Amino acid sequence: MKLEGIHQLDAPRERVYQCLVDPEVLQRCIPGCERLEKTGDNTFAATIRAGVGSIKGVFNGTARLEDLREPEHLRIVVDSKGAPGFLKGSGDLDLEHAENGTKVNYSGDVQVGGTIASVGQRMIQGTAKMMATQFFTSLNAEAGTQAGEPPPQHGFFRTALRWFSGWLRNIFRKH
Amino acid sequence: MIPAQFDYQAPATLEEAVSLLASDLDGAKILAGGHSLIPAMKLRLAQPQLLVDIGRIKSLAYIREEGDEILIGATTTHYQLESSDLLQRICPLLPDCAKSIGDVQVRNKGTIGGSLAHADPAADWPAAVLALGAELVLVGPKAERTVKAEDFFVDLFTTDLQPGEILREIRIKKPSGRFGQSYQKAPHPASGFAVVGIAVHLGLNDDGSCKAAAIGVTGVDVKAYRAKGVEAALSGTTIDDDAIAQASLHVCDGVDPNSDLYASSEYRGQLARVHMRRAIQAAKAKAQ
Amino acid sequence: MKKAINLSVNGVSRTDEVEPRMLLVHYLRDVLDLTGTHVGCETSLCGACTVMLDGQAVKSCTLFAVQADGSAVTTIEGLAQNGELHPVQEGFWEKHGLQCGYCTPGMIVTAAQLLERNAAPSREEICHGLDGNLCRCTGYQHIIEAVEYAAAKKAGQS
Amino acid sequence: MTNNYVGKRVKRTEDPRLIRGLAHYVDDVALPGTLHVTFVRSIYAHAKITGIDTSAALSTPGVVAVYTGQDVAGKIGPVPCASALPELKVPDHRVLATDKVYFVGHPIAAIVATDRYAARDAVDLVMVDYEELPVVTDVEQAANGGPVIHEAFGDNIAYKLTSGEGDIDAAFTAADRTVKQRILHNRLAPIAMEPRGVLARYFPGEEELTIWSSTQIPHLMRTQVALMIGIPENKLRVITPEVGGGFGSKLNVYSEEALLGWIAMQLGKPVKWIETRRENMQATIHGRGQVGDIEVGFKNDGTLTGLRYSVFADLGAYHQLLTPAIPTLTGLMLSGAYKIPAIQMNITGCFTNKMATDAYRGAGRPEATYVVERALDLVAAELGVDPAEVRRKNFPSPDEFPFHTATGLDYDSGDYETALNKAQEIIGYAQLREEQKKARDEGRLIGIGVSTYVEICALGPSQAMPAGGWESATVRIEPTGKVTVLTGASPHGQGQETSFAQIVADELGVNINDVTVIHGDTGVVQYGIGTFGSRATAVGGTAVFVAVQKLKEKAQKIAAHMLKADASHILFEGGKYSLQAAAAASATGVSEPVVPVGQAPAGALPEPETDGKSNLTIQDIALAAHLAKDLPPDTEPGLSATYFFEPKNFTFPFGTHIAVVEVDHETGDIKFLRYVAVDDCGRVINPMLVDGQVHGGIVQSIGQAMYEEVVYDEQGQLVTGTLMDYAVPRAKHIPNFELDRTETPSPVNPLGVKGVGEAGTIGATPAIVGAIVDALAPFGVRHLDMPVKPENVWRIINGN
């Protein structure tokens, strides 16, 4: 499934880029990411508790950053497996200067297999949308702090999510 | 077909349920009718550690009038709502919506509270409670709070329920004056879920013009929402066919309709507009 | 941890210890050997597992046995009274409302519920009432006629 | 003989157990100590298996054993494919994947545990490492350079076949015009309401393996499974208890059947596997799955000159029992109900990363009928004439039968025009067309679809069948007068326990309640072929009928002996043998008993009293035959006869279906206004059962035409994996069917029956799609692919 969208973040491009390549920040931004350990140059072992509402599954796998061209482009490649099936995908992120921040052009491909693929047909798109929205909402919050500062609090995310999810989703389209 | 193991508690009171839920904020789940949760558990997409069954708390299933409000207990079944003479008389949108849910077996066991808390983007009740401006009473370990339906649905399968909170009651202002209501749905041929579902409450002035419209939409977006564009466009009009048609075009304002195997985003948008128009027309026709 | 349950099934009182996750349909079939109730899907859509729980038709694959604690369950095996077929059973036989018979117990229990709530349903009401039950053999027409037969029969009885 | 039952609406003898919930399907059979089996199945459509770790599963409480492909390698033979086609590529299809998986749902490991719950828990604990391989799901891509699935073959083309007769080039040269259309046959899931299931028990002392399976072919399965696991065929007993529908999906031999038998032998305990619905969607055969191009040549007056059809058949990753053969059946029926001088079909059968396709109700023939009927509609549209008239123009007349087609068949008998006339009369065709015109002027979109179909039934002469096409029956009368019928057919809902009993009861003049029809147990019933291809009554019923005649011949001899008359003077009527009035006077004692009759021991059955009687029931004779105290010379005791019926030809039922629909401008919703079906299945044994078969068939057609489609995504994930997304029609989706019949007996069998099990699925789809297309004709549409969903309709109306 293809996903494509544009996100407007408040922080400058360099700061956003810095966040995107920082495993600690990424772990906090990827919804449900419980573990992101560096295993090599730009490769990580990941555990993600992905899902929505009461529907959840734990996925183990790898994440890789590719095609790094600071501060304008990078690709994230995720490949994971869990009891409900597999979850993999890749996303190209293009960062552009924008007034008051950064515009992130996103284009990705998500594949799911196993139980989720066979039973979650009507929800996969929505879930992907939601997780991406959460990711960028968190990223925006993270990028709003300076490197080395304490990360934003959990409560902030919750509130932020509620505020941002509406308008973020609107610019996030499936093709 | 076979769920993972879990522990099961059937508290006798809501207070007990709240404290059981608090005992394992991450792993405990409330079981009401079970018609959203159990299917997910059977596919092992949901694997709670503990089920707190509130289906046995008899005091949680009721439909009653109190002052200018209708109070509905969270574990009231779809069928109880469908077959309530009281509601048929004072707020027919609820029975109208109830009878379009799933099938008779599901309606006999599934509950309004369970459905709302699950927040399936294609469930029927969210549209109805939005159109009725309902308030939801949530009870947690420390306090009880009331949330407007509009604020309750946060995202896909995500509500404003905080960890440890239980939906206890749905409160609806008794419709008054001249009004008409209707729920129109395009069901998915396999699952019966709403491809689109439109719940309309139409308040009329004495001259038959539109005083206020409140409209809930389900199935279209990742969560149910109020179609404010339609409501605004309808307000003050004489609700003639033209006004209805024009207003209905706003159903997807600000929303990118879902797309799935059965209906593309474009087609779902069309279904939303058509059912919106039909729902408003039906509501108007029913207005006293 | 197992839980004790106490329920009445087809008028017989039962006490058992079951795992909380045991589905009611498995309890009926595997523990009580009441195999007339069938399993046809995993997603609460086919209705083959329909039984009466305290007089209401429910899908026994979407209920845990523990939820039925203290309740009265009627399965297809308990529908005939004193050796006399329930009018719906009779209707299915008379009108050829079944072929392979797999959906039939669920279909009959659901139809029985339908007639309890609506003694003289229209064709449309019958279809609405049977919306939770799939049949792959009959094409439904004879099932609808079976329900109509049963309605007429019940009307004649009362 | 009596006329009490055949042709009458007799209530089914099967029903009392079924309506009371007292029947036994496989999962209802409980053996003490039964272990339960679950499967770990591939979540990838194409991948190498680089490792399987079963240790965690094995250490789960309750788990008894876990078997992988390596564990059974060399111990269980390949899953059989019974289709013999020239140069057919047959992949080595093992019961469990060994080094690679080829489709989502491919079994990888079998877990055996003490109960269903523990077995299911262990599935999540088996760790399989995969290395993904490129996937191909599109059949044309598979044929044209897509990733190769079975490397040894070099490409994905399993076979190519050209069939047909007549000079096809000349046929198109002779044509004034031609029409072409690409036509898709959606992949369907059979969805028998009872999923598959197997229970196996082994007695090591007796070396006897018993397998209970939900199958349509107990004997064929016994032979194949015995070969697969290497035990003598007569040490394997297959029992088919109640079967909850098949529709072709249980006309097969699956991995699980052999594997469960083998596991039972390893563990010495009964083992059971009951398929879940998700497994059923993934790993039980699918139907249809063809995409082809049709071209028809015709004269300006509508006369057909030739038909060409080139088709890609999506076979899936492996062959199941009949996978490659199904598209060839399409080739047989491409002449439809019409005189077409030249026909050619080119089939390319291709492997894809999906579950195998195989026989699903109609099996290849619905495809043919759909193609031909759609083509006739296109011809009508091209010529601007009524679709019914194009059909009428090309029918062979009744005196042209047996009618030879350019597909190489000889249609047994038919009167196509009478069926068409009758259907048109019932629906008020001419007036309906007027109303349609009026409605169109008012902006309503009403469409009328006509299908005049022929199907090929009573499969079939052994020459044309991979494992024989005959059917067997034994009829015997027990000492107490009860009649036992053993049929090799294995009905699973069609009602032959009743219809065969009707035949036998009438032939013997006994009460139908005295007749018991037994089937589906290889330990009890003589070898048989099974129930599929609308064959049970036409072939199996004929075997019963002839066996009864044989039995009566013997009974007649005994009757003559007992009545002391010459057999030629004995009349059988109303269940009684009697001396013919004229002959009675000249009756003489024919013979004295050869062996002196001794005193019967105490407790023996009472002997029939014949002295002074002028008539005897056949049941009296049965008792005498069993007691064998006084039988004619050279007469075997007992009263039983067996017959194996080999049909000389197929039968060719036919009919006309007319559908009337209205579509909603705004939503594209399709609503039925009328549905008339006039079917001719030859002589009718039980009209109620025939109606039921037609209803069920039409509704499966409605499913194919409007709702059902197995969808795999590009990665080979089955996205219609449950009944949440795969839409099986419900009661609210059907119209009120108006059925009628014509009755043209078949000369192929003495009963004159043709078969009706598949008529609805074959005849209805073109009528339904034709009606929808007709409704949309004002928008210039001439064809729509199935399933025609509201969105498709809406897009046509809105020009996108």
Side-chain angles (χ1 to χ4, degrees):
Chain A
M1 186 183 60
K2 300 250 182 295
L3 278 172
E4 212 172 78
I6 300 168
H7 290 265
Q8 186 76 40
L9 305 185
D10 300 331
R13 183 158 76 149
E14 288 69 19
R15 174 64 190 141
V16 172
Y17 196 92
Q18 222 173 29
C19 289
L20 283 170
V21 296
D22 179 341
E24 281 183 26
V25 175
L26 278 180
Q27 184 188 333
R28 290 195 295 268
C29 291
I30 297 171
C33 185
E34 296 184 339
R35 183 178 68 109
L36 195 71
E37 283 167 15
K38 203 170 162 106
T39 53
D41 276 355
N42 298 318
T43 59
F44 309 91
T47 300
I48 298 171
R49 187 177 290 273
V52 286
S54 53
I55 296 164
K56 279 202 173 66
V58 178
F59 295 86
N60 281 297
T62 59
R64 204 166 63 238
L65 299 179
E66 284 182 358
D67 209 7
L68 296 156
R69 296 197 304 275
E70 190 170 1
E72 64 198 31
H73 178 87
L74 77 154
R75 180 187 295 137
I76 304 179
V77 182
V78 178
D79 191 350
S80 67
K81 254 181 15 181
F86 66 82
L87 179 65
K88 60 180 192 172
S90 62
D92 283 288
L93 298 163
D94 288 291
L95 282 62
E96 278 175 37
H97 273 304
E99 218 176 311
N100 306 325
T102 308
K103 194 166 89 177
V104 183
N105 287 291
Y106 172 87
S107 130
D109 195 359
V110 179
Q111 283 171 29
V112 294
T115 308
I116 351 169
S118 67
V119 308
Q121 207 279 322
R122 71 188 173 89
M123 300 162 195
I124 291 171
Q125 190 209 348
T127 308
K129 268 188 193 178
M130 177 177 168
M131 289 182 66
T133 303
Q134 289 178 2
F135 175 80
F136 285 106
T137 307
S138 302
L139 183 67
N140 197 39
E142 289 279 350
T145 67
Q146 288 307 307
E149 275 185 18
Q153 294 303 301
H154 178 78
F156 174 84
F157 283 109
R158 193 167 278 283
T159 316
L161 248 179
R162 238 166 275 150
W163 283 103
F164 287 109
S165 61
W167 65 266
L168 275 173
R169 208 167 28 244
N170 299 339
I171 49 173
F172 210 63
R173 277 179 309 118
K174 186 213 168 216
H175 287 258
Chain B
M1 181 68 198
I2 292 168
Q5 277 180 326
F6 58 85
D7 202 1
Y8 171 86
Q9 295 291 341
T13 66
L14 192 58
E15 294 69 39
E16 258 182 85
V18 169
S19 76
L20 279 165
L21 192 58
S23 69
D24 183 359
L25 284 181
D26 222 21
K29 272 270 152 207
I30 293 294
L31 176 71
H35 276 57
S36 301
L37 185 58
I38 295 175
M41 290 175 68
K42 283 165 63 183
L43 299 169
R44 301 207 173 196
L45 290 172
Q47 302 197 7
Q49 303 292 308
L50 168 67
L51 284 192
V52 179
D53 184 358
I54 59 169
R56 296 185 169 278
I57 305 173
K58 297 282 177 251
S59 60
L60 271 182
Y62 53 84
I63 302 165
R64 61 171 176 258
E65 288 177 277
E66 210 171 277
D68 62 351
E69 284 186 321
I70 303 164
L71 309 183
I72 300 165
T75 64
T76 308
T77 63
H78 309 316
Y79 178 69
Q80 286 168 330
L81 288 147
E82 175 188 359
S83 58
S84 160
D85 292 337
L86 171 71
L87 294 179
Q88 197 58 58
R89 215 171 54 241
I90 65 174
C91 190
L93 179 59
L94 289 166
D96 200 16
C97 178
K99 76 165 189 280
S100 77
I101 297 170
D103 49 58
V104 64
Q105 295 97 314
V106 168
R107 297 194 291 276
N108 277 343
K109 192 68 193 164
T111 66
I112 184 170
S115 170
L116 293 172
H118 189 61
D120 189 301
D124 300 285
W125 281 128
V129 296
L130 284 168
L132 295 171
E135 291 188 328
L136 309 180
V137 182
L138 317 180
V139 52
K142 289 185 189 136
E144 186 168 288
R145 65 190 178 103
T146 301
V147 182
K148 286 186 177 154
E150 270 176 78
D151 299 327
F152 183 73
F153 304 107
V154 173
D155 209 323
L156 187 76
F157 294 104
T158 309
T159 67
D160 189 48
L161 275 165
Q162 302 298 313
E165 282 186 325
I166 300 174
L167 171 58
R168 181 177 72 77
E169 185 179 78
I170 296 99
R171 292 188 179 168
I172 292 163
K173 274 261 187 314
K174 256 194 263 177
S176 57
R178 274 187 80 182
F179 73 91
Q181 301 175 328
S182 177
Y183 184 66
Q184 296 287 322
K185 169 182 180 178
H188 187 281
S191 68
F193 272 103
V195 178
V196 309
I198 311 280
V200 171
H201 174 87
L202 212 53
L204 303 185
N205 292 312
D206 290 342
D207 64 0
S209 64
C210 179
K211 187 170 167 191
I215 298 170
V217 178
T218 189
V220 176
D221 198 1
V222 291
K223 61 167 185 167
Y225 63 92
R226 280 277 291 267
K228 299 218 163 136
V230 184
E231 294 172 4
L234 219 49
S235 178
T237 70
T238 54
I239 335 179
D240 55 22
D241 285 353
D242 207 37
I244 294 172
Q246 286 306 314
S248 299
L249 298 178
H250 294 284
V251 59
C252 298
D253 282 1
V255 169
D256 175 25
N258 296 332
S259 176
D260 59 22
L261 208 55
Y262 181 73
S264 69
S265 182
E266 203 183 352
Y267 177 62
R268 193 175 247 103
Q270 165 72 7
L271 285 181
R273 287 186 289 276
V274 173
H275 284 79
M276 178 60 78
R277 200 193 69 225
R278 291 177 184 177
I280 298 169
Q281 276 164 340
K284 181 189 167 194
K286 286 179 195 169
Q288 306 289 318
Chain C
M1 212 195 336
K2 290 197 169 181
K3 297 270 170 193
I5 56 170
N6 237 303
L7 66 168
S8 148
V9 180
N10 299 332
V12 180
S13 165
R14 307 274 185 175
T15 304
D16 277 294
E17 294 239 309
V18 297
E19 261 195 275
R21 64 170 168 164
M22 177 174 270
L23 297 167
L24 179 60
V25 68
H26 287 148
Y27 174 71
L28 295 171
R29 292 178 50 81
D30 296 347
V31 180
L32 303 186
D33 201 26
L34 291 167
T35 56
T37 303
H38 299 145
V39 177
C41 74
E42 305 176 87
T43 45
S44 317
L45 285 167
C46 82
C49 65
T50 303
V51 300
M52 292 277 192
L53 180 73
D54 294 328
Q56 305 216 73
V58 295
K59 292 180 177 173
S60 63
C61 78
T62 311
L63 274 167
F64 296 115
V66 288
Q67 289 175 277
D69 183 25
S71 297
V73 175
T74 305
T75 69
I76 186 71
E77 290 94 337
L79 215 54
Q81 291 293 319
N82 310 317
E84 285 231 352
L85 293 178
H86 186 281
V88 174
Q89 288 173 310
E90 203 184 305
F92 271 67
W93 194 10
E94 284 291 337
K95 294 292 174 184
H96 188 30
L98 63 149
Q99 289 178 27
C100 82
Y102 197 77
C103 74
T104 309
M107 202 63 94
I108 287 176
V109 172
T110 309
Q113 169 94 98
L114 170 66
L115 294 182
E116 274 166 28
R117 291 179 178 175
N118 182 354
S122 65
R123 183 189 158 100
E124 203 186 342
E125 285 166 337
I126 293 171
C127 291
H128 181 69
L130 298 177
D131 203 24
N133 295 69
L134 283 177
C135 171
R136 193 64 158 163
C137 293
T138 64
Y140 301 103
Q141 179 129 331
H142 282 157
I143 293 179
I144 295 164
E145 289 169 14
V147 178
E148 287 168 344
Y149 175 97
K153 167 99 187 186
K154 280 183 87 166
Q157 277 171 354
S158 55
Chain D
M1 264 206 50
T2 52
N3 260 323
N4 294 330
Y5 303 110
V6 171
K8 300 205 165 66
R9 211 181 160 281
V10 176
K11 283 201 300 181
R12 297 206 316 174
T13 55
E14 292 90 336
D15 289 359
R17 64 178 187 265
L18 294 165
I19 54 177
R20 290 180 298 159
L22 302 177
H24 287 86
Y25 301 83
V26 175
D27 199 18
D28 306 338
V29 179
L31 300 178
T34 296
L35 303 173
H36 292 262
V37 177
T38 52
F39 286 90
V40 177
R41 294 180 184 275
S42 177
I43 57 171
Y44 292 95
H46 197 193
K48 266 188 198 152
I49 298 175
T50 54
I52 305 174
D53 181 357
T54 60
S55 55
L58 273 168
S59 60
T60 304
V63 172
V64 174
V66 180
Y67 298 101
T68 67
Q70 298 302 335
D71 297 327
V72 301
K75 291 169 182 155
I76 305 177
V79 178
C81 168
S83 311
L85 292 172
E87 292 172 47
L88 175 69
K89 291 173 193 159
V90 181
D92 185 22
H93 183 181
R94 296 286 150 180
V95 297
L96 292 172
T98 46
D99 52 343
K100 271 191 185 178
V101 286
Y102 292 109
F103 63 97
V104 166
H106 197 160
I108 294 172
I111 294 165
V112 190
T114 47
D115 68 86
R116 305 174 199 267
Y117 283 62
R120 171 62 188 88
D121 286 345
V123 170
D124 289 345
L125 300 173
V126 174
M127 297 299 150
V128 183
D129 292 321
Y130 302 91
E131 185 184 313
E132 281 179 81
L133 294 167
V135 170
V136 60
T137 55
D138 179 78
V139 66
E140 286 173 282
Q141 200 199 335
N144 299 312
V148 176
I149 297 173
H150 301 288
E151 285 161 343
F153 297 150
D155 61 32
N156 293 319
I157 295 170
Y159 71 100
K160 284 190 175 199
L161 195 73
T162 296
S163 62
E165 292 177 4
D167 186 337
I168 193 74
D169 294 326
F172 277 90
T173 313
D176 294 328
R177 305 190 203 191
T178 60
V179 287
K180 289 183 186 181
Q181 181 63 49
R182 161 144 286 215
I183 288 181
L184 182 82
H185 306 273
N186 34 339
R187 200 179 242 259
L188 303 172
I191 317 278
M193 287 317 299
E194 182 210 18
R196 291 188 292 125
V198 186
L199 169 66
R201 178 190 64 196
Y202 186 61
F203 287 146
E206 292 86 346
E207 297 179 335
E208 263 178 27
L209 176 65
T210 305
I211 295 179
W212 287 259
S213 177
S214 185
T215 182
Q216 299 172 229
I217 45 165
H219 283 96
L220 300 183
M221 196 198 116
R222 183 187 66 166
T223 304
Q224 295 296 336
V225 170
L227 292 170
M228 287 170 80
I229 57 180
I231 60 166
E233 186 174 5
N234 49 12
K235 291 289 187 183
L236 172 59
R237 177 178 177 187
V238 172
I239 300 177
T240 302
E242 216 72 65
V243 172
F247 315 110
S249 71
K250 296 170 181 173
L251 159 57
N252 229 305
V253 179
Y254 287 97
S255 300
E256 294 88 354
E257 287 158 333
L259 187 59
L260 268 276
W262 183 82
I263 294 174
M265 291 174 71
Q266 302 308 301
L267 300 176
K269 291 227 171 152
V271 289
K272 187 189 263 187
W273 165 73
I274 300 298
E275 188 181 54
T276 65
R277 182 57 66 190
R278 264 185 302 161
E279 285 179 295
N280 180 258
M281 303 289 299
Q282 289 182 350
T284 286
I285 61 103
H286 295 149
R288 321 282 191 261
Q290 293 183 7
V291 56
D293 292 291
I294 178 90
E295 188 181 5
V296 180
F298 55 100
K299 299 276 195 192
N300 284 329
D301 69 352
T303 307
L304 302 172
T305 63
L307 180 154
R308 221 175 347 224
Y309 183 48
S310 291
V311 66
F312 290 95
D314 176 357
L315 305 177
Y318 283 120
H319 300 315
Q320 282 283 344
L321 198 62
L322 301 168
T323 299
I326 304 305
T328 67
L329 287 171
T330 307
L332 284 181
M333 289 314 294
L334 279 176
S335 195
Y338 315 108
K339 295 197 274 189
I340 307 177
I343 293 174
Q344 191 184 68
M345 173 163 173
N346 302 303
I347 308 171
T348 309
C350 300
F351 296 116
T352 55
N353 288 119
K354 305 181 196 168
M355 180 58 199
T357 50
D358 204 308
Y360 167 57
R361 200 171 194 174
R365 294 105 81 205
E367 292 90 313
T369 302
Y370 185 66
V371 160
V372 175
E373 293 303 299
R374 289 302 308 130
L376 270 280
D377 279 358
L378 292 169
V379 170
E382 186 72 20
L383 294 171
V385 299
D386 191 282
E389 292 319 307
V390 175
R391 287 164 166 87
R392 198 185 304 276
K393 175 104 197 158
N394 289 284
F395 286 152
S397 66
D399 58 13
E400 286 178 83
F401 288 84
F403 172 70
H404 185 80
T405 69
T407 58
L409 294 171
D410 291 296
Y411 290 177
D412 58 343
S413 61
D415 182 355
Y416 304 155
E417 190 162 8
T418 300
L420 173 60
N421 290 343
K422 196 163 189 179
Q424 286 189 311
E425 205 174 291
I426 293 169
I427 209 154
Y429 193 80
Q431 198 195 335
L432 194 62
R433 284 286 178 200
E434 287 304 311
E435 285 169 16
Q436 179 189 29
K437 229 179 261 161
K438 233 175 85 194
R440 263 182 199 162
D441 294 341
E442 291 163 6
R444 287 172 67 199
L445 298 174
I446 288 176
I448 305 163
V450 181
S451 159
T452 56
Y453 74 94
V454 181
E455 61 160 324
I456 178 170
C457 283
L459 305 185
S462 293
Q463 291 291 351
M465 302 281 289
W470 44 268
E471 195 51 89
S472 69
T474 296
V475 179
R476 69 172 182 250
I477 308 183
E478 313 290 355
T480 52
K482 301 295 176 192
V483 184
T484 304
V485 179
L486 308 176
T487 170
S490 191
H492 40 281
Q494 295 87 347
Q496 270 89 7
E497 284 179 35
T498 305
S499 55
F500 287 6
Q502 287 177 262
I503 295 169
V504 171
D506 267 358
E507 287 300 315
L508 298 180
V510 299
N511 189 295
I512 196 166
N513 295 322
D514 283 342
V515 183
T516 298
V517 178
I518 295 174
H519 56 85
D521 182 347
T522 67
V524 175
V525 179
Q526 71 289 334
Y527 207 98
I529 303 297
T531 292
F532 54 88
S534 303
R535 71 189 306 277
T537 304
V539 189
T542 300
V544 169
F545 177 80
V546 180
V548 179
Q549 306 314 317
K550 279 178 73 180
L551 179 139
K552 288 198 313 195
E553 275 173 37
K554 179 174 177 181
Q556 177 121 358
K557 271 191 217 160
I558 301 173
H561 179 77
M562 292 168 72
L563 294 170
K564 302 182 173 38
D566 188 87
S568 62
H569 294 151
I570 299 290
L571 184 73
F572 182 59
E573 211 176 53
K576 285 178 177 169
Y577 286 97
S578 55
L579 289 172
Q580 291 185 46
S586 63
T588 55
V590 174
S591 65
E592 289 301 311
V594 178
V595 182
V597 177
Q599 190 69 31
L605 291 161
E607 283 186 51
E609 285 180 21
T610 57
D611 282 354
K613 274 197 168 180
S614 63
N615 62 54
L616 295 164
T617 68
I618 196 157
Q619 290 163 316
D620 292 333
I621 293 164
L623 177 56
H626 276 90
L627 295 173
K629 317 262 190 227
D630 179 18
L631 293 178
D634 304 322
T635 303
E636 288 175 53
L639 193 53
S640 164
T642 297
Y643 189 72
F644 285 58
F645 174 64
E646 169 66 45
K648 290 196 171 54
N649 190 3
F650 303 99
T651 61
F652 296 87
F654 59 90
T656 296
H657 285 213
I658 303 180
V660 187
V661 302
E662 177 163 10
V663 304
D664 183 315
H665 274 284
E666 295 181 308
T667 61
D669 282 334
I670 302 156
K671 192 174 83 185
F672 282 101
L673 301 180
R674 296 278 296 278
Y675 196 101
V676 169
V678 174
D679 294 281
D680 190 321
C681 57
R683 193 160 157 236
V684 171
I685 308 290
N686 187 332
M688 185 173 79
L689 300 189
V690 167
D691 286 352
Q693 288 297 314
V694 173
H695 289 155
I698 297 172
V699 172
Q700 285 184 342
S701 262
I702 292 174
Q704 173 168 18
M706 295 164 63
Y707 301 106
E708 297 180 38
E709 185 178 25
V710 172
V711 181
Y712 286 88
D713 70 12
E714 285 176 4
Q715 295 305 311
Q717 292 296 325
L718 176 61
V719 294
T720 50
T722 70
L723 296 178
M724 297 281 288
D725 291 305
Y726 188 90
V728 171
R730 290 170 185 275
K732 68 181 173 194
H733 294 135
I734 65 153
N736 180 46
F737 298 114
E738 302 166 60
L739 302 191
D740 209 329
R741 265 188 288 282
T742 59
E743 201 165 310
T744 312
S746 172
V748 173
N749 59 64
L751 288 172
V753 303
K754 290 194 166 190
V756 72
E758 294 152 299
T761 34
I762 288 170
T765 37
I768 297 162
V769 174
I772 300 168
V773 170
D774 187 43
L776 298 174
F779 302 94
V781 177
R782 287 191 177 176
H783 180 73
L784 283 170
D785 276 327
M786 300 184 286
V788 187
K789 293 189 201 168
E791 176 162 357
N792 309 130
V793 173
W794 173 72
R795 286 190 181 279
I796 298 288
I797 295 170
N798 288 276
N800 59 8

